[in-house]
Amino acid sequence: MIIGICTCEIFIYNANSLKSKRSVVKSIVEKSKNRFNVSIAEVGENDKWQKSVIGFATVSKDKKIVDETMENVIQFFNSYSEIEIMNIEKEIL
């Protein structure tokens, strides 16, 4: 069993309150969960308006599938014009 773990630190451009930030983060999390079947949540920077850390994990029997899934989720994050990925940390176990 291969486990892929990734955290992405993101900057949210037009977030002027925690409510607007959470709206963007919730959209990203829910769409990623449904599209890629990953376990995903906001895992850091919960009280900052324009920053968030989103973590996700995927499991497979094949390392190639884990790599592809993680890259697809990151590319999906990049498709959002409201955010910019500032840092990515990936680990495969």
Side-chain angles (χ1 to χ4, degrees):
M1 175 170 54
I2 308 296
I3 303 167
I5 303 167
C6 183
T7 57
C8 296
E9 184 179 343
I10 63 171
F11 181 81
I12 305 164
Y13 290 114
N14 294 324
N16 54 10
S17 68
L18 287 176
K19 186 175 181 179
S20 62
K21 170 201 169 177
R22 290 201 173 107
S23 171
V24 172
V25 171
K26 184 177 179 181
S27 172
I28 292 170
V29 167
E30 290 302 316
K31 288 180 181 178
S32 298
K33 193 182 301 184
N34 293 334
R35 185 174 290 181
F36 301 106
N37 194 26
V38 294
S39 294
I40 185 169
E42 182 178 16
V43 296
E45 303 291 355
N46 295 344
D47 295 331
K48 299 208 175 147
W49 289 7
Q50 292 187 308
K51 286 179 73 179
S52 181
V53 179
I54 298 175
F56 64 90
T58 184
V59 177
S60 179
K61 64 179 182 175
D62 187 3
K63 183 180 183 289
K64 182 179 177 185
I65 293 172
V66 169
D67 278 333
E68 287 176 1
T69 301
M70 289 184 2
E71 285 302 316
N72 288 339
V73 173
I74 291 168
Q75 289 303 319
F76 179 69
F77 287 0
N78 281 327
S79 72
Y80 273 81
S81 60
E82 300 98 345
I83 69 166
E84 177 183 342
I85 298 176
M86 297 170 45
N87 187 29
I88 299 171
E89 292 181 20
K90 297 193 293 187
E91 184 177 356
I92 296 181
L93 307 171

